[in-house]
Amino acid sequence: MIQFEQVNKYFGDFHVLKNIDLKIHSGEVVVIIGPSGSGKSTLLRCINRLETVTGGKLIVNQTDLTDPRADINRLRQDIGMVFQHFNLYPHKTALENISLAPRKVRKTPVDEATKQAKQYLSKVGIPEKADAYPAQLSGGQQQRVAIARGLAMKPKIMLFDEPTSALDPEMIGEVLDVMRDLAREGMTMVVVTHEMGFAREVADRVIFMDEGMIMEENAPAEFFQNPQEERTRRFLSRVLKH
Amino acid sequence: MGDFSLLAAYKQEFIDGFLTTLSASLLALVLSLCVGTIIACLRLSQVQLLEWIGTAYVEFFRNTPLVIQVFFFAMGLPSLGWNISEFTAGAIGLSIYTGAFIAEALRAGIQSVPRGQMEASRSSGMTYIQSMRYVILPQAFKIVIPPLGNQCVNLVKNSSVLAIIAGGDLLYAADTVSSQTFQINLTYLFVAALYLVITLPLSFGVNQLERRLARQS
Ligand SMILES: Nc1ncnc2c1ncn2[C@@H]1O[C@H](COP(=O)(O)OP(=O)(O)O)[C@@H](O)[C@H]1O
Ligand SMILES: [Mg+2]
């Protein structure tokens, strides 16, 4: 479903992604961890081409992203993205945030799109916030609206870039719960996170990145109990200790 | 101060001047919004050459006197064999000049919308145009209203530049009347009041709009 082949990316002279080889299958939940600045976000953002790769081959849903003629808008319809800072549209209500893309991109009629938006809002547990503006919602609620917004396009893949890093601790659980449900329903998910509990419990595979490289990848049980690389061990001991 | 009844005899001059000022301002407002939007798009285009053209435009017209620009259209163009009326020359000069300021206001407004907004809308499959239309511009609009309102008021006041090229506007009427009646203070005070008749409602309207938009968010 997602296939990186010897992908390299530079920001100017800076080599952010180094020889990335990665295959993600349909229905898989892959969690990416690693120190800040190691290229996790960049890797994720390549998948829906918010960033372009400099070299190598990247195929997502049978579309070759390195092909300049690739229909990126079409590709993005099937990939939902959830950001660290939610990026909800502040001038639109929760419901409008969710129904905008289905209406404008999928050309779903307004009442149908609104009806579906309400269903997604129920799915993430806040049907009563339909008419609230983002500024009137807590961080956890905003992030759940953002997830509903991503789901409303009925994507095949959901990308999460540190979805709980900007949240107060008491709100992290409600967002992870929604993500856990999604995983259980078989959604293909790529999640950058520092929530090791979530990785251990929900991931099919954990990937450790450092300095633009994939250092290690494994099933979560094996990954956490028996890390192979020295750097993985050091990273894990740092994040798991406190 | 003087005798108000002397001015009554020039009622028609004042009415004509008022209407000329009003229509020149309106015409220039519409044109300068078009010019401003186009120039702002150039500056934001990320195509080096277009960006450069946009910047050059803004810096040139913002940093040279309006009077010179209007002189050029009123006298320079006819001397090159292209005859246009004083009114047209004035309106074009005003549009080009004000367009530079409006372009800057629009650009600043659009750039003040956080980058994540465009990323979120583009990653949901919306095109650049759709993202602009439904996500970026409505947010930029709120930010741009106050400076745009200021430009609008400035435009009305700046339209007095028409007097210099005998454009028949309010100030021109005042010049004519005061030179015939010698009621200098009274005439110019009266005309200032007539400018206020246009600019005060404008300021008030902008304030109201600003307040309504602020309440929405
Ligand atoms: N647009 C950009 N231009 C230049 N450098 C960037 C850009 N985006 C990210 N970087 C740099 O690339 C590196 C990796 O960034 P990122 O992928 O955000 O890391 P992570 O998500 O793992 O913290 C960082 O050093 C960051 O400063
Ligand atoms: Mg990051």
Side-chain angles (χ1 to χ4, degrees), chain A residues 70-91:
Chain A
D71 185 350
I72 297 308
N73 292 325
R74 180 73 199 77
L75 173 93
R76 285 173 175 160
Q77 293 173 24
D78 295 327
I79 306 175
M81 182 145 195
V82 175
F83 301 85
Q84 180 175 358
H85 296 289
F86 330 133
N87 299 353
L88 291 179
Y89 313 132
H91 59 302

Side-chain angles (χ1 to χ4, degrees), chain A residues 9-12 14-17 32-45 51 84 161-162 192 194 209 212, chain B residues 115:
Chain A
K9 174 164 180 67
Y10 292 83
F11 284 120
F14 181 59
H15 201 171
V16 219
L17 296 180
I32 303 175
I33 64 173
S36 160
S38 56
K40 307 181 297 295
S41 297
T42 307
L43 179 90
L44 199 68
R45 291 158 59 87
E51 304 286 355
Q84 180 175 358
D161 192 358
E162 302 201 27
V192 175
H194 296 297
M209 278 187 78
Chain B
R115 234 174 54 142

